[in-house]
Amino acid sequence: MGQKLKIAGWVSLGVVAGALTTVSLQTVARGVMSPMPLEEIQQLSAVFGLIKTDYVEPADDKKLITDAISGMVSGLDPHSQYFDKKSFREFQEGTSGKFVGVGIEITQEDGLIRIVSPIEGSPADLAGLKTNDLITKIDDTAVKGLSLNDAVKRMRGEPNTKVVLTILRKDESRSFPVTITRTEIKTQSVKAKMVEPGYGWVRVSQFQERTVDDFVRKVDDLYKQDPNLKGLVLDLRNDPGGLLDAAVAISAAFLQPNVTVVTTDGQLAESKAIFRASPEFYARRGSDPIKSLPAAIKNIPLVVLVNEGSASASEIVSGALQDHKRATIMGAQTFGKGSVQTVRPLGPDTGIKLTTARYYTPSGKSIQAKGIVPDIMVDESAEGDLFAALRTREADLEKHLSSGQGPEVKDEAREKAREAALKRLDEESKKPASERRPPEFGSDKDFQLQQALHQLKGEPVQVSQTKTERPAEKKDEEKTSASDKPAESTTDDTKLPPATEPKK
């Protein structure tokens, strides 16, 4: 046994050393010289050898190595991820705006899968699945113990095949199965309508490849209905983000040419970038997709609605419009997902999504773990923000990056608000389901939209009496100001889009 272990150890050391030689060469090529931790590499080799010789059944070499890579990447932060062949393909499908699945945006919570939101018109939406529903089983497989990627794989499949999801709905204290037929999901990321004579509403639910074209078409339709629009509401509530170039384009539609939209900063030279309101930063096919928009859109009075579910690309847009004083931001402080994920291929059909930079608004404020603070805080309803404190934010995620602009401060007020919200949730769960459904965004019962219209008309706005800015990070007086703002650069980083929430 000792000889076998020794041989396995030498073999595994060779395998690991070969992989690390490649990593080492890449590290040198990027101009970052640092000694390899030899003791830890030896431990990794020893563990590999022990598994090969002592595990209860034979273990596949390739699976051990890919699992090690996956663990190494996922241990960095909540957004870095290893892609095998299938998940790489699914990631590419997700950013294109179409895929085969049931049509839900999900996240992981206490080992279960929580539904962030059903995609409008999808099989999941039509089946009655709701935000905050928990998935406990996929067909006959318990979700507890599955990675988010594994759960995604099980929910996806071929068109017209069925999957059974077991749902735990806490506010109704019940668990039940739902059979859903998979289909190709074509998400409609932009909606628009005239909400009142002279006032338009445009909702962007996610930033995808087709978002800019859809946005241009919808805004053109509004101006055809009323060439003399008096005001516009851009609704980014619960928009989890998406493609960086789409966010730059939507920002550029309202901003003056060539002003800064967002900057990024990281270790690599290519991560130190400035993105401006210019076609070279968002035009994919050579032509400017927003060129056909009416000139009046540059000056129309504008309100942007955001909430705790507004993340990443939606925070870039709201931050740029706020810093340039182009719009009034209303609602709740945003999610705080201010990091850039770059997809690095490892082969023809595998890769990693790696956090490579932080986002900064034009004035140099970090979005990461902080978010965008609205100009006017507005509750979700006339009765207040009943359950906002229960929503997960970037700062709540395990292993999240700091803003890079000082240590974080615990939000004591939010902890108290969470306790109150849990009690309120328990009371609400006793009411009939029809009374608990929140008003649809864009409807005449949408309280925040009504307040946005009041703002555009110069009428009194019902400002939140309870919302306050989340505690600012304490500045480290010993840090230099250079670390608070990225350096000037003209590097084009538009090929490296941030990733979106997984969709099934």
Side-chain angles (χ1 to χ4, degrees):
M1 178 59 71
Q3 185 64 16
K4 283 185 178 180
L5 179 58
K6 187 174 182 180
I7 293 171
W10 281 113
V11 171
S12 61
L13 183 58
V15 172
V16 175
L20 290 173
T21 298
T22 303
V23 173
S24 180
L25 288 173
Q26 291 175 342
T27 303
V28 173
R30 293 183 182 280
V32 181
M33 287 292 293
S34 59
M36 302 299 288
L38 294 180
E39 183 178 343
E40 285 72 18
I41 292 172
Q42 289 172 343
Q43 288 181 351
L44 176 61
S45 172
V47 170
F48 187 97
L50 285 169
I51 292 173
K52 290 296 294 179
T53 58
D54 293 11
Y55 188 61
V56 65
E57 57 188 33
D60 181 73
D61 288 354
K62 290 184 178 180
K63 185 177 186 305
L64 287 175
I65 292 173
T66 55
D67 285 351
I69 294 171
S70 179
M72 180 166 52
V73 176
S74 63
L76 295 170
D77 64 71
H79 307 294
S80 294
Q81 180 182 352
Y82 168 72
F83 292 125
D84 60 16
K85 293 181 181 180
K86 187 174 182 181
S87 58
F88 200 23
R89 183 176 69 251
E90 289 168 349
F91 170 76
Q92 293 168 325
E93 289 173 353
T95 57
S96 71
K98 60 181 181 179
F99 54 92
V100 175
V102 299
I104 49 176
E105 295 171 4
I106 65 171
T107 187
Q108 203 155 26
E109 181 179 291
D110 297 329
L112 301 178
I113 302 300
R114 181 173 66 82
I115 297 177
V116 175
S117 64
I119 294 172
E120 296 173 38
S122 69
D125 186 34
L126 298 176
L129 299 191
K130 301 195 300 186
T131 296
N132 291 326
D133 279 349
L134 294 173
I135 300 173
T136 60
K137 288 177 69 175
I138 303 170
D139 289 325
D140 295 324
T141 302
V143 167
K144 198 82 169 179
L146 288 181
S147 68
L148 197 61
N149 272 351
D150 288 337
V152 170
K153 292 175 184 177
R154 291 178 183 276
M155 280 187 275
R156 290 201 173 180
E158 297 299 317
N160 300 317
T161 58
K162 296 182 184 297
V163 60
V164 179
L165 303 181
T166 302
I167 303 298
L168 172 61
R169 188 166 290 167
K170 286 184 176 179
D171 61 356
E172 296 179 12
S173 300
R174 67 187 183 105
S175 181
F176 55 93
V178 179
T179 301
I180 301 177
T181 301
R182 299 179 180 97
T183 187
E184 182 175 84
I185 308 297
K186 295 181 179 179
T187 58
Q188 180 68 40
S189 63
V190 183
K191 290 183 175 182
K193 66 178 182 179
M194 299 293 294
V195 287
E196 285 187 12
Y199 296 92
W201 170 77
V202 180
R203 170 155 176 75
V204 180
S205 59
Q206 193 165 351
F207 291 87
Q208 301 172 335
E209 289 180 2
R210 301 182 300 169
T211 296
V212 179
D213 292 335
D214 289 346
F215 175 83
V216 170
R217 186 172 66 254
K218 296 288 187 179
V219 171
D220 280 340
D221 287 344
L222 290 179
Y223 272 97
K224 287 176 183 177
Q225 294 177 56
D226 187 348
N228 300 307
L229 274 176
K230 299 176 184 177
L232 194 65
V233 178
L234 177 62
D235 191 347
L236 301 179
R237 289 173 294 178
N238 289 348
D239 182 332
L243 300 176
L244 175 57
D245 55 2
V248 175
I250 299 300
S251 302
F254 297 103
L255 295 172
Q256 295 304 311
N258 212 40
V259 300
T260 298
V261 174
V262 66
T263 57
T264 63
D265 191 28
Q267 286 199 80
L268 300 175
E270 66 196 61
S271 296
K272 302 177 187 297
I274 297 176
F275 298 88
R276 303 183 186 278
S278 173
E280 65 186 278
F281 294 99
Y282 59 78
R284 294 185 178 185
R285 294 175 291 275
S287 59
D288 185 352
I290 66 173
K291 188 177 181 180
S292 64
L293 285 170
I297 197 173
K298 295 286 187 185
N299 300 301
I300 189 171
L302 181 67
V303 166
V304 179
L305 285 176
V306 295
N307 65 4
E308 295 90 345
S310 305
S312 193
S314 54
E315 294 176 290
I316 290 172
V317 175
S318 52
L321 297 178
Q322 183 182 59
D323 276 9
H324 288 295
K325 303 187 184 306
R326 176 62 187 87
T328 301
I329 313 300
M330 298 178 65
Q333 194 164 347
T334 59
F335 184 82
K337 199 272 183 183
S339 58
V340 183
Q341 279 68 51
T342 301
V343 177
R344 302 285 194 203
L346 296 177
D349 45 18
T350 61
I352 61 172
K353 180 180 68 177
L354 193 66
T355 300
T356 55
R358 291 182 176 89
Y359 285 128
Y360 298 81
T361 68
S363 66
K365 293 180 292 186
S366 174
I367 294 172
Q368 176 60 23
K370 175 68 176 177
I372 302 300
V373 179
D375 300 304
I376 302 175
M377 298 278 198
V378 178
D379 291 327
E380 293 179 344
S381 69
E383 291 75 37
D385 249 355
L386 305 181
F387 307 112
L390 299 178
R391 293 198 180 105
T392 301
R393 310 164 307 176
E394 176 76 13
D396 300 320
L397 299 179
E398 192 175 347
K399 300 177 183 176
H400 71 271
L401 289 179
S402 71
S403 71
Q405 294 185 335
E408 295 174 21
V409 178
K410 187 176 181 180
D411 193 342
E412 300 288 353
R414 184 168 183 266
E415 294 304 315
K416 293 181 181 179
R418 284 179 64 86
E419 294 176 9
L422 285 170
K423 291 180 181 178
R424 183 64 180 263
L425 181 63
D426 184 56
E427 295 171 3
E428 290 289 312
S429 66
K430 299 172 184 176
K431 295 181 180 180
S434 59
E435 295 181 22
R436 296 195 301 269
R437 185 178 292 274
E440 181 182 354
F441 287 161
S443 70
D444 57 0
K445 295 181 180 179
D446 184 343
F447 179 76
Q448 289 180 323
L449 174 57
Q450 297 307 313
Q451 301 312 303
L453 293 173
H454 289 325
Q455 174 69 18
L456 289 171
K457 296 174 185 177
E459 299 172 353
V461 172
Q462 186 171 326
V463 178
S464 173
Q465 299 301 307
T466 57
K467 283 184 185 296
T468 57
E469 179 180 346
R470 297 199 288 267
E473 295 179 328
K474 293 179 180 178
K475 289 285 185 180
D476 186 345
E477 299 300 332
E478 295 181 359
K479 289 186 178 181
T480 62
S481 59
S483 65
D484 293 341
K485 190 174 186 295
E488 289 284 320
S489 168
T490 56
T491 304
D492 184 357
D493 201 25
T494 55
K495 295 179 181 177
L496 310 175
T500 62
E501 288 265 352
K503 296 183 290 299
K504 312 310 142 297

